[in-house]
């Protein structure tokens, strides 16, 4: 080992500036860079998929040994997927003690909705419209993750998407830019806290506009206008930058024909230029190298230069920077100053986390043990899951089930510990999860609970299922049947052309219905499915999404009424696949159509001939055991100027005898604008607890700035004229008043 002092040529007693905790970070960064070789600089931009790097596994694995060798040579800036306090500590020790300059590594991992205690998938969490809850969930995830030696999560994902065929809709907060932005900002704050050893760095991803992948197909092309980009897709990323996110991840897709990883407009002009982002940009997995497959870069040398010039910094796993960048600098193809700027951004993060001064602060095994799956974390996950589950139908008032004596539970998903976790389950272990069956048993200890599988994991009807259901139902007061998709179908590379319940699942439900017993259907999936037939035929439907570790307890909390459901879907549910994309904030078109007006005058209009225009379930929809009635929508004044705001108020009465929580939503429409504006845009929401029989007056402060939008260059426009202000329980059932902007 060569000490830094020997390297710098400093005499004994003199410390290299970069090692001096008292020196300003910028000075330390400059000092360190001045000591680095070209290879070491490029090394800081190299992120390697680590896996297990210590212990006997490595001794027999040349591939893993090679990664440790790179580390010792100072050629790894960050590892992903190296985890656990003990392992990360040893790897950090090698970096700090056995590499020439002793630069600590950053450990990154996809902590998407929990580390060990898995919270509901983010799309489900979004349906709770609860920014404080999302912040808390991220905070808990960060606490667990950081105790396992991690510095950095690749989350939150904030890709606005209107396409439930895309398996990754589960990772984000749905179709609306405003809701997505609020949650993205909350999650960034929850993950990062004050950049201490109980938190992790957040990543804004995927930058940008990955949610618009054509036809919901993973890794596919994106082709949207700048106007759409600025108004629909970019606001959440911007909000997350403003919330202080430390890093950004490129997306896989093209924007304007150029891969996001090498897209100067997105990274340099928008992110770093207009938004002033000072942090580090990491590629998505191998996305620098994929610029070759896109047909954008001819070879690795070009790809690495394009990424660097566009403003991206760290190469996750493609190796193009490691393989070529030093040579490109030597050949004068790219300036060393540009390389230094990227390296500085990586080093700054390491200084900011205090890793140079205390490299082992995240690696404490005792703390790790004490931090994971605590009672407090599990309680928070249970609450979050229950708040995320959306009641879609309760027409026979079967729910809540107060004291059933016997319950027949159906479907593989009800007993599967694996399937309450998705592909992005972090470090979650199915052994720690609670299934629906277990949740119900715990909730109703006095009841007889019988299970008939009915369908398997793939949704195929089991042999003899119908007869078994018929026989078992005789002794049951109520049937609880689970259908949907197995957990691993939610996540990356899980696009589906037909996200429908299977024939076997529908047959199972039909058999259950034939018994004439009260029937509760639970739909478990990481995306809105096409449930048109289900909604027509069945009267009690709870969309549970994927609830994580506490899924089964959360379901039971809702079924027996300990939790009154309040969730409202953050994505529209299409009537059919052919309707996709269907979303509430669409433009009016020159020939608008309203479902129901199918008279002779409604032929040459924008509509399908075999399908309605409206979705099956609108954005923002969900029921409660309470009944809420809206009245008296008012604004404090009919006209405002550009510097003013208006108070919007509405009365919401809980006319039931159960206390409940209502998510009150405020939308606007700019009636005449250049360019045109959507028919509805969410601008605010409030979660309000309203006691049985009481009426709440819910008020919103609406500043004129919320009436603004972007032009195609990202400039803010605030145009005078008439607006509709709409308030209600979902994006469809709204009352409206007029507001004039002078
Ligand atoms: C995904 C990212 C993820 C990365 C690292 C990629 O394939 O698109 O979202 O953070 O892998 O696991």
């Amino acid at each position: 080992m060569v000490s830094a002092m020997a390297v710098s040529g400093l005499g004994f007693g003199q410390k290299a500036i970069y090692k001096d905790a008292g020196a300003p970070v910028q000075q330390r960064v400059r000092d360190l860079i001045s000591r680095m070789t070209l290879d070491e600089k490029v090394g800081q931009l190299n992120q390697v998929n680590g896996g297990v790097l210590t212990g006997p596994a490595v001794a027999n694995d040349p591939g893993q040994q090679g990664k440790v060798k790179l580390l010792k040579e100072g050629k790894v800036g960050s590892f992903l997927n190296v985890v656990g306090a003990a392992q990360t500590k040893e790897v950090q020790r090698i970096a700090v003690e056995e590499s020439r300059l002793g630069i600590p590594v950053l450990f990154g991992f996809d902590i998407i909705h929990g580390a060990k205690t898995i919270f509901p998938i983010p799309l489900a969490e979004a349906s709770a419209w609860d920014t404080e809850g999302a912040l808390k969930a991220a905070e808990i995830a960060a606490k667990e993750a950081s105790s396992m030696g991690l510095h950095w999560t690749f989350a939150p994902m904030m890709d606005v998407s209107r396409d439930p065929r895309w398996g990754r809709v589960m990772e984000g907060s749905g179709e609306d830019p405003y809701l997505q932005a609020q949650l993205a900002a909350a999650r960034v704050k929850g993950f990062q806290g004050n950049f201490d050893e109980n938190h992790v760095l957040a990543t804004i991803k995927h930058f940008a506009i990955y949610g618009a992948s054509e036809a919901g197909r993973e890794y596919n092309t994106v082709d949207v206008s700048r106007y759409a980009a600025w108004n629909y897709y970019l606001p959440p990323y911007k909000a997350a930058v403003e919330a202080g996110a430390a890093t950004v991840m490129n997306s896989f897709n093209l924007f304007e024909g150029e891969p996001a990883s090498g897209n100067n407009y997105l990274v340099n002009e928008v992110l770093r230029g207009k938004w002033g982002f000072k942090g580090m940009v990491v590629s998505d997995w191998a996305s620098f190298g994929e610029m070759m497959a896109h047909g954008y870069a001819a070879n690795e040398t070009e790809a690495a230069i394009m990424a660097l010039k566009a403003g991206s910094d760290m190469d996750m796993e493609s190796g193009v920077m490691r393989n070529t960048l030093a040579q490109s600098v030597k050949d004068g193809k790219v300036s060393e100053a540009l390389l230094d700027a990227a390296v500085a951004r990586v080093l700054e993060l390491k200084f900011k986390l205090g890793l140079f001064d205390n490299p082992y602060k995240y690696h404490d095994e005792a703390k790790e043990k004490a931090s994971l799956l605590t009672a407090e974390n599990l309680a928070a996950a249970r609450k979050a899951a229950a708040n995320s589950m959306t009641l879609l139908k309760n027409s026979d008032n079967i729910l809540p089930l107060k004291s059933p004596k016997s319950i027949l539970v159906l479907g593989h998903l009800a007993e599967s510990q694996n399937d309450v976790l998705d592909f992005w389950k972090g470090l979650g272990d199915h052994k720690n999860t609670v299934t629906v069956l277990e949740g119900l048993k715990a909730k109703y200890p006095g009841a007889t609970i019988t299970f008939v599988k009915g369908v398997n994991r793939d949704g195929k009807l089991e042999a003899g299922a119908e007869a078994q259901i018929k026989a078992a139902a005789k002794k049951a007061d109520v049937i609880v049947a689970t259908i949907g998709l197995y957990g691993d179908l939610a996540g990356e590379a899980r696009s589906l052309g037909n996200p429908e319940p299977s024939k076997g699942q529908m047959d199972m439900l039909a058999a259950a219905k034939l018994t004439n017993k009260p029937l509760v259907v639970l739909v478990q999936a990481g995306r809105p499915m096409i449930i048109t037939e289900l909604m027509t035929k069945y009267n009690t439907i709870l969309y549970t999404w994927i609830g994580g570790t506490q899924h089964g307890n959360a379901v039971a909390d809702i079924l027996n009424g300990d939790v009154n459901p309040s969730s409202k879907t953050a994505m529209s549910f299409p009537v059919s696949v052919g309707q996709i994309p269907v979303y509430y904030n669409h433009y009016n078109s020159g020939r608008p159509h309203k479902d129901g007006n199918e008279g002779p005058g409604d032929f040459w209009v924008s509509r399908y001939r075999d399908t309605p225009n409206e979705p099956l379930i609108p954005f923002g929809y969900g029921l409660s055991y309470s009944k809420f009635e809206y009245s008296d929508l008012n604004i404090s004044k009919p006209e405002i100027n550009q510097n003013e705001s208006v108070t919007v108020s509405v009365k919401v009465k809980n006319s039931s005898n159960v206390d409940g929580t209502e998510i009150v939503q405020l939308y606007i429409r700019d009636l005449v604008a250049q360019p045109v504006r959507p028919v509805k845009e969410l601008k605010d929401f409030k979660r309000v607890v309203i006691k049985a029989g009481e009426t709440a007056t819910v008020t919103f402060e609406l500043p004129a700035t919320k009436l603004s939008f972007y032009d195609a260059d990202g400039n803010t426009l605030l145009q005078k004229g008439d607006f509709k202000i709409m308030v209600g329980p979902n994006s469809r059932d709204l009352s409206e008043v007029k507001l004039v902007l002078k």
Side-chain angles (χ1 to χ4, degrees):
M1 171 196 155
V2 190
S3 83
M5 272 186 286
V7 174
S8 66
L10 295 174
F12 285 105
Q14 258 184 292
K15 224 180 188 182
I17 294 173
Y18 80 93
K19 298 208 161 187
D20 178 358
V25 167
Q26 288 308 324
Q27 211 183 330
R28 296 177 81 182
V29 169
R30 273 198 304 277
D31 176 65
L32 179 52
I33 289 181
S34 75
R35 297 164 194 276
M36 294 168 80
T37 64
L38 260 185
D39 281 341
E40 283 166 340
K41 289 180 184 177
V42 175
Q44 286 304 304
L45 305 186
N46 188 31
Q47 186 181 51
V48 176
N49 180 29
V52 179
L53 291 172
T54 55
V58 183
N60 303 317
D61 186 338
Q64 294 305 90
Q65 282 168 12
K67 293 175 191 174
V68 177
K69 183 166 173 282
L70 282 179
L71 179 64
K72 290 181 183 172
E73 291 167 356
K75 291 181 180 167
V76 179
S78 168
F79 277 119
L80 72 157
N81 302 335
V82 178
V83 68
Q87 187 187 196
T88 49
K89 186 174 186 182
E90 172 56 11
V91 175
Q92 193 66 293
R93 190 200 61 74
I94 296 172
V96 172
E97 292 183 16
E98 297 189 33
S99 74
R100 192 180 74 94
L101 292 166
I103 303 175
V105 276
L106 271 184
F107 295 107
F109 200 98
D110 292 285
I111 300 296
I112 307 295
H113 54 114
K116 273 280 175 190
T117 305
I118 306 304
F119 279 72
I121 55 167
L123 179 62
E125 196 179 77
S127 316
W129 303 53
D130 180 4
T131 48
E132 267 171 49
L135 188 148
K136 175 95 188 134
E139 207 167 60
I140 290 173
K143 195 158 184 215
E144 289 195 351
S146 56
S147 83
M148 301 175 90
L150 298 171
H151 304 125
W152 181 19
T153 177
F154 308 121
M157 186 270 223
M158 55 200 75
D159 302 329
V160 168
S161 179
R162 304 158 171 174
D163 200 327
R165 289 170 297 186
W166 195 39
R168 303 195 79 163
V169 294
M170 53 111 346
E171 274 181 71
S173 297
E175 75 189 37
D176 179 68
Y178 181 79
L179 180 60
Q180 182 91 245
Q182 302 297 306
L183 291 165
R187 289 176 179 137
V188 165
K189 289 181 191 151
F191 281 132
Q192 293 192 159
N194 294 323
F195 295 92
D196 59 24
E197 60 271 32
N198 293 317
H199 292 88
V200 288
L201 303 174
T203 306
I204 293 170
K205 81 181 189 186
H206 304 85
F207 197 69
I209 321 175
Y210 192 31
S213 272
E214 272 183 6
R217 210 179 69 215
E218 190 75 278
Y219 313 124
N220 202 8
T221 291
V222 164
D223 199 356
V224 300
S225 68
R226 280 196 192 192
Y227 181 58
W230 273 100
N231 286 286
Y232 283 115
Y233 295 98
L234 294 177
Y237 309 113
K238 179 168 186 277
V241 169
E242 285 163 3
T247 77
V248 172
M249 182 184 288
N250 301 124
S251 53
F252 287 124
N253 53 280
L254 302 178
F255 178 65
E256 300 180 323
E258 303 188 276
S261 298
N263 196 301
N264 187 62
Y265 178 71
L266 286 179
V267 186
N268 271 338
E269 284 189 43
V270 175
L271 179 68
R272 296 203 188 280
K274 278 185 188 288
W275 298 345
F277 177 71
K278 301 268 181 293
M280 188 253 278
V281 177
V282 63
S283 77
D284 201 350
W285 187 289
S287 67
F288 288 171
E290 285 171 16
M291 286 197 271
M292 296 183 285
H294 276 294
Y296 189 66
N299 49 44
E300 290 197 338
T301 304
E302 270 189 28
I305 293 173
M306 282 167 166
L308 194 68
K309 286 194 170 163
S312 301
D313 303 314
M314 185 178 273
D315 181 356
M316 180 191 284
E317 265 295 303
S318 89
V320 299
M321 285 192 158
R322 182 174 85 223
N323 296 343
T324 67
L325 214 47
Q327 192 58 45
S328 294
V329 172
K330 284 181 203 149
D331 294 345
K333 289 184 175 150
V334 65
S335 77
E336 189 159 359
L338 206 58
L339 172 63
D340 287 356
V343 175
R345 290 191 279 262
V346 176
L347 296 176
E348 268 163 29
L349 282 182
K350 298 181 179 183
F351 280 112
K352 193 164 180 182
L353 293 178
L355 299 183
F356 281 87
D357 309 320
N358 181 1
Y360 303 115
K361 61 197 267 203
Y362 289 74
H363 317 293
D364 175 342
E365 281 183 81
K367 181 177 167 195
E368 178 179 37
K369 269 205 197 88
S371 304
L372 305 177
L373 293 163
T374 62
E376 192 195 331
N377 295 1
L378 292 172
R382 179 172 182 160
K383 184 173 168 213
N387 281 345
S388 79
M389 295 179 177
T390 317
L391 183 65
L392 294 181
K393 266 185 104 174
N394 192 22
S395 332
D396 301 335
N397 291 319
I398 290 176
L399 296 178
L401 298 171
K402 269 304 165 199
S403 44
K405 287 194 198 63
S406 57
I407 307 175
L408 170 60
V409 180
L410 301 180
H412 157 86
L413 293 171
E415 65 152 2
S416 166
Q417 283 191 300
N418 276 312
D419 292 304
V420 298
L421 300 176
D422 58 295
F423 170 69
W424 290 119
K425 61 185 176 206
L427 298 151
D429 188 334
H430 68 273
K431 292 194 196 103
N432 302 126
T433 65
V434 180
T435 64
V436 169
L437 198 53
E438 289 164 340
L440 291 176
K441 283 182 180 162
K443 184 63 78 178
Y444 301 105
T448 308
I449 301 195
T450 324
F451 176 69
V452 170
K453 191 163 180 178
V455 288
N456 67 14
R457 177 177 184 263
D458 296 318
K460 294 234 160 56
L461 202 65
E462 297 271 283
E466 280 140 323
Q468 286 167 24
I469 292 169
K470 191 173 169 192
K474 288 199 176 118
K475 285 166 269 159
D477 289 348
V478 59
I479 304 177
V480 175
T482 53
I483 64 164
L485 299 169
Y486 61 84
D488 191 57
L489 271 180
E492 182 176 352
R494 270 83 176 160
S495 292
L496 292 176
N498 256 316
E500 296 176 341
S502 68
K503 177 171 182 310
Q505 291 174 339
M506 294 308 283
D507 288 348
M508 177 181 78
L509 294 183
K513 193 173 183 186
L514 272 180
T515 67
N516 285 322
K517 294 287 167 130
L519 172 60
V520 179
V521 182
L522 306 177
V523 189
Q524 189 173 319
R527 66 185 95 207
M529 294 181 76
I530 311 289
I531 51 169
T532 309
E533 187 187 340
L534 185 80
M535 288 288 280
T536 320
K537 291 190 176 158
Y538 298 91
N539 283 345
T540 314
I541 304 172
L542 179 70
Y543 212 86
T544 65
W545 308 100
I546 301 179
T549 308
Q550 288 288 307
H551 182 96
N553 281 335
V555 167
D557 287 344
I558 291 183
L559 292 197
N560 96 323
D562 281 350
V563 172
N564 184 356
S566 56
S567 148
K568 305 209 180 203
T569 177
M571 278 185 88
S572 306
F573 281 58
V575 165
S576 62
V577 169
Q579 228 191 13
I580 299 172
V582 60
Y583 49 97
Y584 86 92
N585 46 2
H586 56 82
Y587 298 119
N588 203 32
S589 89
R591 295 186 180 199
H593 166 74
K594 196 164 168 25
D595 286 344
N597 288 356
E598 276 87 21
D602 281 281
F603 193 88
W604 306 104
V605 293
S606 178
R607 59 173 282 209
Y608 301 103
R609 307 234 64 90
D610 61 346
T611 304
N613 277 13
E614 293 300 316
L616 180 69
I617 298 160
F619 170 80
Y621 182 87
L623 300 174
S624 157
Y625 298 150
S626 310
K627 199 165 172 300
F628 298 108
E629 288 164 15
Y630 284 65
S631 67
D632 300 302
L633 173 62
N634 264 307
I635 46 173
S636 54
K637 43 191 160 188
E639 295 189 349
I640 52 171
N641 66 38
Q642 306 206 343
N643 306 314
E644 286 181 318
S645 77
V646 65
T647 307
V648 181
S649 67
V650 70
K651 288 199 172 131
V652 185
K653 179 174 181 192
N654 180 350
S655 58
S656 72
N657 53 12
V658 225
D659 299 349
T661 299
E662 172 68 339
I663 298 161
V664 184
Q665 302 160 38
L666 183 148
Y667 298 82
I668 66 155
R669 177 167 179 189
D670 187 343
L671 287 162
V672 178
Q674 298 85 36
V676 296
R677 300 302 302 145
V679 296
K680 284 167 192 167
E681 292 177 76
L682 181 72
K683 288 294 169 182
D684 209 347
F685 59 85
K686 290 226 161 106
R687 272 177 74 87
V688 222
V689 179
I690 310 174
K691 291 235 153 59
E694 290 190 359
T695 299
T697 301
V698 182
T699 58
F700 299 93
E701 218 32 52
L702 184 71
T705 46
K706 282 206 173 176
L707 306 176
S708 70
F709 58 102
Y710 293 104
D711 70 9
D713 295 320
N715 303 308
T716 303
L717 302 177
L718 188 53
Q719 295 181 351
K720 293 178 183 165
D722 292 355
F723 290 79
K724 271 189 195 174
I725 309 298
M726 294 164 274
V727 177
N730 61 67
S731 65
R732 184 189 60 200
D733 305 316
L734 299 165
S735 321
E736 58 183 65
V737 282
K738 190 178 142 189
L739 175 69
V740 178
L741 180 65
K742 292 183 285 182

